[in-house]
Amino acid sequence: MNSRTGSKKRKLWLSTVLILMLSILVSACSGNGGGNNTTESASPTASGTTEPTVSASTSPEAIDTFEPVTLKLVLVGTKSADTDEVYAEVNKIMKEKINATLEVRFLDWNEYSQKYPLMFAANEEFDLALTGNWLDHTGTARKGGFLELTEEMIKKYMPQTWAQQPPLAFEQSKVDGKLHMISSNAFESGFQVAVIRGDLREKYNLPEVKSLTDFVNFLTTVAKNEKGMTAFGGPSVNINPNPIPIIFGDLERAFVHGSAPLIYELNSPNPKISNYLDDPEYAGRLEMLYEMAQNGVWEKDSIVSKTVWLDAFKEGKTAAFNSNILNAASAMEAINLVHPEWKPEVVDIHPSAKRTRSPFNGGGIAIHATSKNPERALMALDLLRYDKEIWDLTVYGIEGKHWEPVSDTKFKSLPASTGFPPDGVSPWGWRTQEMIRQLEGLAGDLLASTNEKWKANNIVDSKLATFVLDDTNIKNELAALANVQKTYLLPIFHGLVKPADGIPLAKEKLKEAGLDKVQAEMQKQIDAFIQSNP
C-alpha cells in the first residue's frame, strides 16, 4: 500500500471517529441542560491517554481546508508537451494534502515582456506568479500588484519555508522594507554562456570556443557556409533589464536600471555611474554587432522576431543559443538525447571575467494582491518548495517516464524527457538548494563544475547587490529613456544602423529625455546606500 492510499484510509477512519465523538458530545450537552462548556480538551486515543492539541502554525492539517480551491499559477517560459500530464500528478498530491489544485498558465518567451505587466494592470484573476528583479518585481510591488507577506503568515501557512529559508533571502527580497516574494534559495549566477553545434565547429576546423573572438568567428563561419541555417537568433528585442545583449557585453560592469544606459563597476567599493555610450570599449562592441549583422549572422528582421530561439536551436534551425548555465546544460542534455551527432558544447566566452552571484530577489513566487485564496496559495508554495514528490515532479517530471533516480542526490534523464526537460519547465520560482539533484553525465557534471569554478574564481559580491532604485522622482524620465533606447539603440544592436552614425544621435535624444537628471538621482541614491551599508 503506498503512502497516499494509506493516508486516505487514515482520513476515512478519522472522519468516522469524529462523527462518533460529535454524537457523544451532543448527548452530553443534552444531559447537562445544554450549558456552554468552553474548555477544549484533547481527543482521547485508543489507549485512553490524550494527545496535545496541534497549533495551526505547525500543522497544515489544523488549517481549515474544507472548501476545495483551484489556484491559478502564472509562469514564464515554454510549456512543454507533457506539462499537463505532470501537473495532473502534482494536483493529486495537492488535493490530498491541502484540498487545492494548480491551474498553470505559461507566458512564452516571445510574449512575456508585454503580457506580464498587463496581467496586473488589468487585474486579471490569478493567485501566484513567478517574479524577480528581471520581471520588475520592485515596480509591481510598489504599484500594489503583490500581497504583502508578514512573518505571521509565513509561520502559519509556510512552516517549512520559515524554518529553512536563509534570513538573507527574506531580507534581499524586500521592497521598501516589506516582503512580497518568497524567493528561490539555490545558488545561481545569471550571467550567460553559449551552446553551440560542436559538429559544425569540427566541420570547419575551428578551434574550441574559449573567448568572445572565438564565438564571433564561429558564428560568422556558419553564416557564410551553412545556407538555410541561421547562425544565431540575434540580440533581444527587449531592452530590459540590460540595454545591450549581455553575452556581448562586459560582465564586470552592471546596469543600474534597464531603461537607461548607465553602468557601474561591480568591484568598486564606491560605485560611480557612467554612460556606456561614452566608453570606447562599448562602442567597439557595438561595431562588432554591426559587422556580425552585415555578415548575416542573424536574420535582417530579427528586431521584430517572435521566434523562440531555444526551440529553433533544438530543431536544428540555428547553430548557437545563449542562456544562463542552468538552461544551457538542460538544452545540451535534451539535444544529446535526440541528436547526439550535433555534439552540443556549452562555452563560457568570458572565462576570466568577474561576475556576481544572483541575489535572492532574482527569482521567486509572489501572491497576487487580489487573490481570493492567499492562505491556500502560500500552503501550495510551501509544498512546491519542500514536498519531495511534488518538487521532483515539477522540476524533473514523472519518475520512470522522464527521469529515474541514480542516488539520493543524482538523477538520469530518459528519452521522454524531451516532453518535460529537467529544470526546463519554469520551476525557477521554487528552486530549493537542498532538494536539487545533479544530472548524471556530461551536462550535470558541467553544471556542477562550472558553478564550483565560478564560486572559487569568478564570483564577486557587489556592494550594490541588494540596491533597489526608488524611481519616484524620475519615473517619467525613465519611461522616456526606455522609448529612446527602443527607437535609437535597438537598431544599432541589430546592425541596422552603423554605430558611428547612430550613437551621437542616440546620445542627443537620451539627453533630451532627461538622462542627466536620472544619472544624478541614481548616483545620489547609490551614495546614500553605500553610506548606510558600509
Side-chain angles (χ1 to χ4, degrees):
M1 180 175 67
N2 63 36
S3 60
R4 225 176 292 158
T5 303
S7 175
K8 290 178 179 177
K9 289 184 176 180
R10 286 193 296 275
K11 288 181 178 179
L12 181 60
W13 177 82
L14 285 170
S15 298
T16 304
V17 171
L18 285 170
I19 291 170
L20 291 171
M21 289 175 63
L22 285 170
S23 299
I24 295 170
L25 181 60
V26 170
S27 298
C29 288
S30 299
N32 65 13
N36 279 331
N37 181 357
T38 58
T39 304
E40 295 183 3
S41 60
S43 303
T45 65
S47 61
T49 59
T50 60
E51 295 276 0
T53 301
V54 182
S55 69
S57 62
T58 57
S59 173
E61 295 173 1
I63 300 171
D64 181 11
T65 58
F66 178 76
E67 290 292 335
V69 299
T70 297
L71 301 170
K72 295 183 178 181
L73 168 63
V74 179
L75 300 176
V76 174
T78 302
K79 180 180 179 180
S80 294
D82 294 344
T83 299
D84 291 341
E85 181 183 359
V86 169
Y87 273 90
E89 295 301 312
V90 170
N91 282 335
K92 290 177 184 178
I93 307 170
M94 286 273 185
K95 180 72 174 175
E96 177 186 319
K97 295 199 170 186
I98 62 170
N99 201 15
T101 53
L102 295 176
E103 180 182 303
V104 188
R105 173 189 176 189
F106 288 83
L107 303 180
D108 217 328
W109 295 116
N110 61 4
E111 65 178 6
Y112 81 90
S113 60
Q114 291 80 34
K115 289 190 175 182
Y116 188 90
L118 288 178
M119 296 189 318
F120 295 93
N123 196 24
E124 293 182 18
E125 187 178 334
F126 61 94
D127 300 281
L128 306 102
L130 181 70
T131 186
N133 52 17
W134 61 284
L135 286 169
D136 192 24
H137 172 74
T138 298
T140 306
R142 284 176 173 160
K143 293 174 184 175
F146 297 132
L147 182 71
E148 181 185 351
L149 306 178
T150 65
E151 180 177 315
E152 180 183 1
M153 292 166 66
I154 300 171
K155 284 181 177 178
K156 182 173 184 179
Y157 299 110
M158 302 188 70
Q160 293 243 73
T161 296
W162 178 256
Q164 300 188 59
Q165 182 82 328
L168 184 61
F170 287 127
E171 192 60 34
Q172 287 190 351
S173 300
K174 290 180 179 178
V175 175
D176 302 328
K178 297 179 179 180
L179 186 69
H180 303 86
M181 166 176 64
I182 302 297
S183 73
S184 162
N185 66 23
F187 169 82
E188 288 183 14
S189 182
F191 291 105
Q192 308 233 332
V193 295
V195 193
I196 68 169
R197 285 277 297 269
D199 62 326
L200 296 178
R201 181 183 66 77
E202 293 177 356
K203 178 179 178 179
Y204 296 107
N205 298 313
L206 298 173
E208 290 186 24
V209 175
K210 296 183 178 180
S211 68
L212 179 59
T213 300
D214 293 339
F215 185 54
V216 173
N217 182 39
F218 168 80
L219 295 176
T220 303
T221 301
V222 170
K224 179 180 178 181
N225 295 285
E226 290 292 319
K227 304 306 177 185
M229 172 182 279
T230 301
F232 186 66
S236 173
V237 298
N238 180 30
I239 60 172
N240 290 321
N242 302 289
I244 190 172
I246 191 169
I247 197 166
F248 301 115
D250 181 349
L251 299 191
E252 298 192 356
R253 288 185 277 189
F255 292 92
V256 183
H257 191 284
S259 294
L262 300 172
I263 56 174
Y264 63 91
E265 300 281 345
L266 287 178
N267 268 326
S268 174
N270 190 24
K272 300 299 178 185
I273 301 173
S274 63
N275 183 347
Y276 78 76
L277 294 176
D278 293 331
D279 188 331
E281 181 180 343
Y282 269 94
R285 297 289 175 93
L286 295 175
E287 184 65 35
M288 177 191 69
L289 293 175
Y290 179 77
E291 292 176 2
M292 291 170 71
Q294 303 315 300
N295 288 323
V297 170
W298 50 77
E299 298 172 355
K300 291 182 179 180
D301 64 349
S302 64
I303 196 169
V304 293
S305 175
K306 299 296 183 183
T307 302
V308 178
W309 292 111
L310 175 57
D311 293 345
F313 179 61
K314 289 180 178 180
E315 293 164 4
K317 297 176 181 177
T318 66
F321 173 75
N322 67 291
S323 181
N324 59 53
I325 183 62
L326 177 65
N327 289 340
S330 176
M332 176 183 177
E333 174 70 7
I335 289 172
N336 273 326
L337 286 171
V338 292
H339 288 292
E341 72 278 9
W342 290 356
K343 301 180 180 179
E345 300 172 355
V346 176
V347 295
D348 181 0
I349 63 176
H350 305 283
S352 61
K354 299 300 180 184
R355 60 202 76 192
T356 59
R357 73 183 76 234
S358 297
F360 285 109
N361 67 357
I365 296 291
I367 310 300
H368 193 198
T370 58
S371 169
K372 296 176 183 176
N373 297 287
E375 299 86 0
R376 206 82 62 92
L378 290 171
M379 295 171 72
L381 181 54
D382 210 33
L383 291 176
L384 286 168
R385 290 168 57 87
Y386 287 105
D387 183 282
K388 185 64 174 172
E389 194 173 1
I390 288 178
W391 203 90
D392 281 343
L393 278 165
T394 59
V395 177
Y396 308 119
I398 297 172
E399 183 178 344
K401 177 176 181 177
H402 301 112
W403 69 283
E404 62 184 27
V406 176
S407 66
D408 289 341
T409 58
K410 287 191 174 185
F411 76 100
K412 176 183 178 181
S413 277
L414 300 177
S417 66
T418 54
F420 198 89
D423 246 323
V425 192
S426 191
W428 313 304
W430 54 87
R431 294 195 81 243
T432 309
Q433 187 66 50
E434 53 268 44
M435 307 288 279
I436 295 173
R437 298 175 184 266
Q438 181 182 325
L439 178 64
E440 183 186 49
L442 184 61
D445 292 342
L446 173 73
L447 179 60
S449 63
T450 300
N451 279 333
E452 289 307 311
K453 173 191 174 295
W454 286 353
K455 287 180 185 178
N457 303 313
N458 300 81
I459 295 296
V460 295
D461 290 313
S462 169
K463 297 285 287 185
L464 298 181
T466 59
F467 171 75
V468 177
L469 179 71
D470 182 353
D471 65 359
T472 302
N473 296 327
I474 51 175
K475 193 182 298 289
N476 293 336
E477 287 79 7
L478 286 173
L481 290 170
N483 287 331
V484 169
Q485 288 194 130
K486 186 173 183 179
T487 303
Y488 295 95
L489 288 184
L490 271 185
I492 297 175
F493 297 163
H494 287 261
L496 301 177
V497 176
K498 193 170 179 59
D501 298 329
I503 290 177
L505 179 59
K507 289 171 64 174
E508 178 185 333
K509 296 297 182 180
L510 288 165
K511 188 176 182 65
E512 292 174 1
L515 185 64
D516 291 343
K517 176 182 177 181
V518 167
Q519 183 168 347
E521 178 65 21
M522 286 180 173
Q523 191 64 63
K524 174 184 174 183
Q525 292 187 33
I526 286 173
D527 291 343
F529 179 85
I530 295 297
Q531 187 173 2
S532 301
N533 299 272

